[in-house]
Amino acid sequence: MNSQLVLVAIIALLIGICFGACTIFLIFTVRRKILANSLADSQTLIGHLCTVQVPLDHHSKGKISVRLYHSTRELMAITESPHCFRKGDRALIMNVQNNQAWIVPETVFLVHGEEESKEVHREVKREI
């Protein structure tokens, strides 16, 4: 009788260790994928809308934040647009170079529509 209880206890312990190891493996695998996505290439930010954190205009630099892959990324921002960006304004990222985002007002995207905005994006990218 005692040997059967010991055998059941050992089997239960081994099953628990196996399930625990599988759980830890899955957690590390998922976490690695999330971290890899949060450090995505800067070029993936092009075409996304962002929020201005530090005001800027065509004479000065500012700071923006963009939400991508369930994380928020902050970048320095510059613009050639005559528009003055204030804190909280929404903008469209047109290009990213040297960890600086080139932005235009969100209204470029909203007023012209998606197809025309893509054409504006191509033109700006050629100029840069």
Side-chain angles (χ1 to χ4, degrees), residues 6-65:
V6 170
L7 184 60
V8 169
I10 290 173
I11 291 173
L13 184 64
L14 291 174
I15 291 173
I17 290 172
C18 288
F19 278 116
C22 289
T23 302
I24 290 171
F25 174 76
L26 289 174
I27 289 172
F28 279 118
T29 303
V30 170
R31 183 181 165 110
R32 189 176 315 132
K33 286 182 182 179
I34 290 172
L35 290 176
N37 285 341
S38 69
L39 299 173
D41 182 30
S42 296
Q43 297 303 311
T44 59
L45 300 174
I46 295 173
H48 284 82
L49 291 174
C50 61
T51 304
V52 175
Q53 299 299 321
V54 176
L56 70 138
D57 60 17
H58 64 282
H59 294 297
S60 62
K61 294 181 181 181
K63 188 175 186 178
I64 59 166
S65 65

Side-chain angles (χ1 to χ4, degrees), residues 2 11 14 29 47 51 58 71 79 85 89 106:
N2 281 339
I11 291 173
L14 291 174
T29 303
T51 304
H58 64 282
S71 65
T79 187
F85 293 93
D89 284 354
E106 177 187 37

Side-chain angles (χ1 to χ4, degrees), residues 103-124:
I103 61 172
V104 294
E106 177 187 37
T107 54
V108 169
F109 184 75
L110 296 176
V111 170
H112 296 292
E114 187 174 349
E115 286 305 313
E116 290 181 34
S117 293
K118 286 181 182 177
E119 183 59 36
V120 169
H121 175 216
R122 283 187 215 105
E123 289 175 16
V124 170

Side-chain angles (χ1 to χ4, degrees), residues 49-105:
L49 291 174
C50 61
T51 304
V52 175
Q53 299 299 321
V54 176
L56 70 138
D57 60 17
H58 64 282
H59 294 297
S60 62
K61 294 181 181 181
K63 188 175 186 178
I64 59 166
S65 65
V66 59
R67 185 142 175 86
L68 185 68
Y69 299 126
H70 306 290
S71 65
T72 302
R73 190 160 171 200
E74 294 184 341
L75 293 166
M76 296 299 294
I78 49 181
T79 187
E80 290 184 356
S81 169
H83 181 78
C84 291
F85 293 93
R86 292 175 287 162
K87 182 176 180 168
D89 284 354
R90 303 271 297 161
L92 180 66
I93 299 174
M94 300 302 286
N95 198 9
V96 179
Q97 288 182 333
N98 301 327
N99 231 14
Q100 290 184 343
W102 292 79
I103 61 172
V104 294

